Structures are given as C-alpha cells and as structure tokens.
Amino acid sequence: MAVFGTLSDRLADTFKNLRSKGKLSAADVDGTVREIRRALLDADVALDVVKAFTTRVRERALGDEVNRALNPAQQVVQIVNDELIQILGGQQRRLEFAKNPPTVIMLAGLQGAGKTTLAGKLAKWLAEQQHTPMLVAADLQRPNAVTQLQIVGEQAGVPVFAPEPGNGVGDPVKVAKNAIKHAIDKQHDVVIVDTAGRLGVDAEMMKQARDIRKAIDPDEVLFVIDAMIGQDAVATAKAFQEGVDFTGVVLSKLDGDARGGAALSVASVTGRPIIFASTGEGLSDFEPFHPDRMASRILD
Ligand code: GDP
C-alpha cells in the first residue's frame, strides 16, 4: 500500500535489527518500541493511538509469550501484527443490508474526499453481485456534482436519480426522500445517496447531512476520508461522528504517495469499523477492507 510505504520500510528496518538478537533484554524491547513509536508518529498516526498501541506492544513484548518463544523477534513481529489488526478494527465488518429492501447507504465526508467516485465504485461492485443499485445526487451544493455523479453512474452502468440539471439549488432532503420512493417503485434493492461536502467541516454542511440522515433513515452512513489528509483526519472524523453518527468508514486514496498513518487512527479514535478501501481513480480500484490483510501489507 503506497500510502503506508514509508511506515512499512521503517518497521521492516526495526524488525531486521531485532532479528539479529537472540533472547531479548528489556532494553532491546524498549529500543524497539521506541522505534515503532517514532515510525508511527512520523507516519501521522494520532498520538493517543500511538501511545495505546506502544503500551500494549511493550507489555506483551516484555511478557512470557516472548520470553518463552523459540524466536523472540518473530514473536514481537506477531504482537505488532495483532495490535495493528486491533487498531484497524479487529474483525472484518461487512456492509449491512436491510432485511426489507431497499438498503439505503448515505455517503458523507469533506469535499474532495472521494465520495462521488466511491458512489460509482460501490454501485459497480454491488451490480456485479446481482444487486440493483441506484445512485442519488443529493449534493446540490457544487454546480458540477450532479453531472459528475451522472458520469460515474454511466460508467458503472447504474441509474442516477437527480434533480433536473440547472435546477441546482434544490432541497437535498426532498431529493433524497423522493429518490427512496422512486427506488421502491422501480425495485432497486440498494440506494446510494451522495451528499454535499465542504472543504472544511462547517455547521451548515453538517446540519444538511444530519437532516438528510433523519429524513431517509439509512441502513449505513459511510464516512469517506482521504487517507492523505494527515493529522486533520482525527478532528474531521470526530466532527463527522458527532454530526452524522456514521456507521462505517471508507478510506480513500490509499494509493496516494504520502504519510497515510492518520487513516490508521480513524477506526480506533471513532470506534467505527473501516468497511471499504479505495485505491485509485478507476471504478474498479476498490475493495472490502480486511484489518488483518492491511496489517500484513504494512508489515510485509
Ligand atoms: P467528493 O468531492 O468527495 O465527491 O470527491 P470526488 O469523488 O469528486 O474525488 C475527488 C478527486 O479524488 C477526484 O479527482 C477523484 O478522481 C479522486 N479520487 C477519488 N478516489 C480516489 C482514490 O482512491 N485514489 C486516487 N488516487 N484518487 C481518488
């Protein structure tokens, strides 16, 4: 994963040094934990997350499981792997479908986070699994947003419910409600609602997202976050959690060439699972998120 490249390299170096040792002294463990801490902080992982993580790793690395291990260094790597899986959410959490269709999925996040692109990716992925998704343009803030969703819908081969073009300042709550009615009429089993973002968190945007959430009572509210936004990730995630109480996270731009550690903080800071990962601009650059696979990739 490009976005975690530097972190991966740093951890690999740390473990290489450790492997040259046999039994590990407390000083070896402390040195290793310090290096891990620095690597995580340099990768922009949030301080609280780093602290909790390194405390757990240190405790376990000083404990019996490492002491008794045939290969103590390998055991430490295993512990780091386990704990990384934990901060990434532990178990895989799949998308939840409604017992009575349509399943309503609302997308929220800052402008540029990758919501509209994700809407297309998700729709394509669902259609490939014999679902009959419909996209809804409830982002009426940006003049281009409706057109952009229509383009994405066309690429995905999925219909888009949108207000008339040029009729830009409509009421997104009404559009979203009408869209659900339309989906029921046309027997779409999943409705994906794209909402407006702003460059920064603001009260009006959050209220609008909250109003849409109230009006359509979605089964999932997915918070899309750009893995490259750095330390702002935590504050943004918290603001959206408070504002729209999202049910899951989508990490986007994991292909980006930057310090993506902030993305590693989001699940543990909000207690919400990461459900999908977006890894490029193409509609196929998308996959369900597996905490264990991501941890392995970082430690590869
Ligand atoms: P929105 O404002 O949240 O709807 O964001 P968009 O879907 O319009 O995405 C903003 C920009 O990021 C666009 O240029 C997308 O092509 C790009 N983008 C979206 N997802 C990804 C991704 O996973 N990787 C990369 N590299 N670019 C992405």
Side-chain angles (χ1 to χ4, degrees):
M1 220 51 1
V3 85
F4 302 127
T6 314
L7 175 62
S8 284
D9 293 347
R10 296 264 306 262
L11 293 176
D13 285 347
T14 301
F15 296 139
K16 204 160 112 199
N17 292 336
L18 201 63
R19 283 203 185 87
S20 63
K21 306 183 195 266
K23 283 266 171 231
L24 302 182
S25 66
D28 292 332
V29 168
D30 282 342
T32 302
V33 168
R34 220 171 12 242
E35 280 177 35
I36 294 173
R37 179 188 161 86
R38 247 184 256 128
L40 291 170
L41 287 174
D42 286 349
D44 267 350
V45 181
L47 183 59
D48 289 349
V49 177
V50 175
K51 275 189 189 155
F53 179 84
T54 47
T55 303
R56 287 278 305 146
V57 169
R58 184 171 180 277
E59 253 168 37
R60 288 184 60 188
L62 289 171
D64 266 0
E65 61 183 313
V66 172
N67 220 354
R68 280 203 305 262
L70 283 178
N71 186 336
Q74 194 50 41
Q75 193 63 32
V76 171
V77 177
Q78 185 60 46
I79 290 170
V80 172
N81 186 63
D82 292 351
E83 297 297 331
L84 259 183
I85 293 173
Q86 289 313 311
I87 62 169
L88 291 169
Q91 293 278 346
Q92 185 201 2
R93 155 73 149 77
R94 290 169 200 274
L95 188 69
E96 283 189 1
F97 292 93
K99 284 201 190 75
N100 300 315
T103 298
V104 176
I105 303 170
M106 172 177 162
L107 308 181
L110 294 179
Q111 185 178 319
K115 285 184 300 301
T116 304
T117 312
L118 174 82
K121 293 175 175 184
L122 193 54
K124 178 171 180 283
W125 181 80
L126 288 165
E128 283 163 4
Q129 296 170 67
Q130 321 312 320
H131 286 286
T132 51
M134 182 185 94
L135 291 164
V136 182
D139 175 356
L140 309 180
Q141 222 77 306
R142 260 189 318 138
N144 265 337
V146 174
T147 323
Q148 196 194 339
L149 192 71
Q150 279 164 332
I151 292 169
V152 161
E154 211 161 285
Q155 286 170 349
V158 167
V160 177
F161 183 95
E164 287 299 305
N167 198 6
V169 255
D171 174 357
V173 175
K174 264 194 205 140
V175 170
K177 275 167 102 169
N178 289 340
I180 310 278
K181 279 194 210 121
H182 182 82
I184 294 169
D185 278 353
K186 300 283 176 193
Q187 302 198 331
H188 289 287
D189 73 341
V190 184
V191 184
I192 301 166
V193 182
D194 190 18
T195 66
R198 294 279 163 82
L199 288 173
V201 173
D202 76 64
E204 194 193 330
M205 167 190 81
M206 212 52 97
K207 180 175 181 311
Q208 185 183 94
R210 198 159 46 232
D211 288 346
I212 296 176
R213 192 195 205 296
K214 265 193 214 138
I216 61 175
D217 189 22
D219 300 284
E220 295 271 23
V221 179
L222 300 182
F223 167 58
V224 184
I225 183 153
D226 177 342
M228 301 198 285
I229 71 170
Q231 286 289 355
D232 284 348
V234 168
T236 308
K238 283 186 175 162
F240 273 88
Q241 182 167 32
E242 210 165 283
V244 291
D245 189 21
F246 54 83
T247 59
V249 177
V250 179
L251 295 181
S252 77
K253 310 196 190 178
L254 284 180
D255 53 310
D257 188 14
R259 307 186 300 179
L264 294 181
S265 317
V266 170
S268 57
V269 165
T270 62
R272 293 285 181 269
I274 303 166
I275 304 184
F276 294 107
S278 241
T279 54
E281 291 186 275
L283 291 192
S284 301
D285 301 327
F286 166 78
E287 57 195 42
F289 186 81
H290 298 268
D292 53 345
R293 288 188 206 165
M294 182 57 78
S296 306
R297 283 193 210 170
I298 293 170
L299 295 181
D300 209 7

